[in-house]
């Protein structure tokens, strides 16, 4: 007996989703600086070959080759100023067709985290989707103003700004402005083994996934040299009162195809080098960060944005941490699915309803 074309008791298997993590330069060249081995399944080339190429060379479509690099560049303000806007997004997502070694473009969901001088990107391929020629590049911001942008049209508008010195009437100003520019850092971690980072109520700090790559700006978040953090357990940067909280976040990352949002605290002076003076917990300030994370088979990409610093939380009579109300509000920030961020009404996109249907 069958149901929906399948034998009863059998479910259709989800198509294979090749995924990988990479880093490219934050400029028009988009030189690929690192890519994980998963790119072999995604685009058919080895990681060593991919690192001789530029990210923009992979994007296939009828739009200008400069559209992809412009996603991460400075945006023109409403007054025509070309300085970086304080509330610009740090995380972006787009569906594009990428060139492959087999000469058959593959639809790929690209999630990019913009940092000081590079872009950390996550590629998830959808090889079962047939090629469709795209005339315009559309992008969804995952933070900041959370705008849905048509890069092809906005880039043309920016060109008009440079020629006329003002914004055309059809260009929208940013939805809001933040009060200050936040410090950001990007990291790539090993793929977490849930069993290895599970926290028991023993007071023992779990090792967790190790840091494979971090941007230099990490030293603006915590008192540590980026070189010393290579192969360092990420969970040892996390404040002890947030260990279980952060471990649960990694569990969610391992099981989700989406970008997840979470808030937790880091130690301002973590014990990175053996033999260094250990700062007493009560004297070790916390750096509260908002974290955007995405997981693939090769590892985890994180974007950390500094929210504020705070003193170490007080303890009760038996030594348990007492959380403030402000911290509890942060903890409830939780998960934001892309289904909530991305509209299914795609009036202008060439990809059609892919935005809302592909997972």
């Amino acid at each position: 007996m069958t149901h929906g074309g399948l034998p009863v008791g059998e479910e259709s298997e989800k198509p294979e989703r090749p995924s990988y993590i990479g880093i490219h330069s934050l400029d028009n060249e988009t030189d690929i600086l690192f890519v994980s081995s998963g790119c072999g399944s995604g685009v058919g080339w080895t990681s060593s070959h991919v690192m001789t190429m530029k990210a923009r060379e992979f994007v296939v479509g009828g739009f200008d080759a400069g559209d992809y690099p412009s996603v991460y560049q400075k945006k023109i303000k409403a007054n025509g100023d070309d300085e970086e806007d304080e509330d610009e997004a740090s995380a972006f997502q787009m569906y594009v067709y990428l060139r492959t070694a087999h000469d058959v473009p593959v639809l790929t969901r690209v999630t990019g985290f913009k940092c000081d001088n590079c872009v950390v990107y996550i590629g998830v391929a959808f090889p079962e989707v047939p090629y469709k020629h795209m005339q315009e590049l559309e992008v969804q911001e995952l933070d900041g103003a959370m705008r849905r942008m048509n890069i092809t049209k906005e880039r043309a508008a920016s060109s008009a700004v440079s020629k006329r010195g003002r914004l055309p009437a059809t260009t929208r100003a940013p939805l809001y402005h933040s009060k200050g520019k936040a410090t950001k850092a990007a990291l790539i971690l090993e793929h977490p083994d849930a069993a290895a980072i599970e926290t028991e109520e023993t007071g023992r700090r779990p090792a967790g996934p190790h840091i494979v790559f971090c941007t230099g700006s990490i030293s603006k978040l915590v008192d540590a040299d980026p070189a010393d953090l290579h192969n360092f357990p990420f969970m040892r940067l996390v404040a002890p009162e947030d260990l279980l909280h952060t471990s649960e976040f990694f569990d969610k990352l391992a099981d989700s195809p989406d970008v997840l949002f979470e808030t937790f605290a880091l130690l301002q002076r973590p014990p990175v080098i053996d033999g260094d003076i250990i700062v007493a917990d009560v004297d070790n300030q916390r750096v509260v960060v908002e974290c955007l994370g995405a997981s693939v088979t090769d590892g985890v990409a994180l974007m950390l944005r500094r929210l504020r610093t705070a003193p170490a939380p007080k303890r009760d009579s038996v030594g348990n941490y007492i959380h403030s109300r402000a911290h509890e509000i942060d903890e409830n920030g939780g998960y934001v699915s892309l289904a909530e961020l991305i509209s299914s009404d795609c009036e202008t996109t060439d990809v059609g309803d892919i935005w809302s249907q592909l997972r």
Side-chain angles (χ1 to χ4, degrees):
M1 184 180 295
T2 62
H3 178 71
L6 293 173
V8 172
E10 295 186 15
E11 296 181 359
S12 60
E13 295 183 0
K14 290 185 178 180
E16 183 182 358
R17 295 274 184 263
S19 58
Y20 47 94
I21 295 177
I23 304 168
H24 68 69
S25 58
L26 181 59
D27 53 24
N28 286 329
E29 294 302 310
T30 65
D31 293 317
I32 296 177
L33 310 174
F34 166 84
V35 66
S36 63
S37 59
C39 69
S41 300
V43 294
W45 280 296
T46 63
S47 55
S48 58
H49 178 75
V50 170
M51 282 189 284
T52 65
M53 304 176 71
K54 304 177 187 298
R56 59 182 171 84
E57 295 175 342
F58 284 91
V59 181
V60 178
F63 43 85
D64 191 279
D67 283 0
Y68 175 75
S70 71
V71 171
Y72 307 104
Q73 292 174 355
K74 298 175 183 178
K75 303 299 186 295
I76 302 297
K77 292 185 179 181
N79 61 4
D81 193 344
D82 65 351
E83 292 183 2
E84 184 177 0
D85 205 341
E86 283 7 358
D87 69 335
E88 282 192 17
S90 301
F92 306 82
Q93 189 164 83
M94 66 201 84
Y95 284 92
V96 292
Y97 286 95
L98 299 185
R99 199 180 313 279
T100 70
H102 314 295
D103 293 326
V104 179
V106 61
L107 183 68
T108 303
R109 182 176 64 210
V110 176
T111 304
F113 295 159
K114 180 175 72 171
C115 213
D116 291 346
N117 56 9
C118 66
V119 173
V120 178
Y121 64 92
I122 301 97
V124 179
F126 297 82
E128 77 279 7
V129 178
Y131 174 68
K132 182 178 180 180
H133 192 64
M134 297 172 62
Q135 293 294 335
E136 297 175 344
L137 176 61
E138 283 203 354
V139 176
Q140 173 71 47
E141 294 180 340
L142 300 182
D143 64 346
M146 292 189 179
R147 297 175 300 169
R148 178 78 169 275
M149 303 181 297
N150 185 310
I151 297 299
T152 305
K153 292 181 179 179
E154 290 199 7
R155 189 163 178 267
S158 297
S159 178
V161 170
S162 62
K163 293 178 181 178
R164 296 199 296 267
R166 59 184 178 85
L167 283 177
T170 55
T171 301
R172 294 179 299 172
L175 298 181
Y176 67 89
H177 296 273
S178 65
K179 295 181 180 179
K181 187 176 180 179
T183 301
K184 298 173 292 185
L187 301 92
I188 295 179
L189 314 181
E190 299 170 318
H191 192 277
D193 178 0
I197 66 173
E198 183 178 352
T199 303
E200 299 178 358
E201 298 299 326
T202 61
R204 181 178 62 84
R205 178 180 293 275
H210 285 208
I211 298 171
V212 177
F213 166 87
C214 64
T215 56
S217 54
I218 188 68
S219 61
K220 298 178 182 178
L221 291 178
V222 298
D223 186 9
D225 190 305
D228 295 330
L229 293 178
H230 183 67
N231 286 327
F232 186 79
F234 176 78
M235 296 296 285
R236 291 185 62 189
L237 301 180
V238 178
E241 66 273 13
D242 276 354
L243 282 176
L244 180 59
H245 178 65
T246 309
S247 296
E248 292 171 347
F249 173 60
F250 278 108
D251 289 343
K252 294 177 183 177
L253 279 176
D255 296 332
S256 174
D258 290 330
V259 174
L260 304 186
F261 295 67
E262 195 51 270
T263 303
F264 50 83
L266 304 177
L267 294 172
Q268 188 172 60
R269 299 180 65 183
V272 175
I273 302 177
D274 292 338
D276 272 1
I277 297 176
I278 303 298
V279 180
D281 183 68
V282 68
D283 298 324
N284 206 339
Q285 275 205 314
R286 279 24 177 187
V287 180
V288 182
V289 296
E290 177 188 51
C291 178
L292 289 78
S295 174
V296 299
T297 54
D298 296 275
V300 173
L302 302 178
M303 170 68 77
L304 304 180
R305 185 201 307 270
R306 176 175 174 163
L307 297 180
R308 63 182 182 278
T309 57
K314 296 180 180 179
R315 297 175 184 253
D316 60 21
S317 58
V318 295
N320 296 320
Y321 287 102
I322 302 174
H323 289 256
S324 67
R325 178 168 177 77
H327 190 88
E328 290 173 358
I329 292 173
D330 286 339
E331 285 188 344
N332 291 333
Y335 166 77
V336 179
S337 99
L338 293 176
E340 296 171 340
L341 294 176
I342 301 175
S343 168
S344 60
D345 181 12
C346 305
E347 295 178 354
T348 59
T349 178
D350 289 320
V351 183
D353 60 358
I354 285 175
W355 284 92
S356 60
Q357 293 182 0
L358 291 183
R359 301 286 291 180

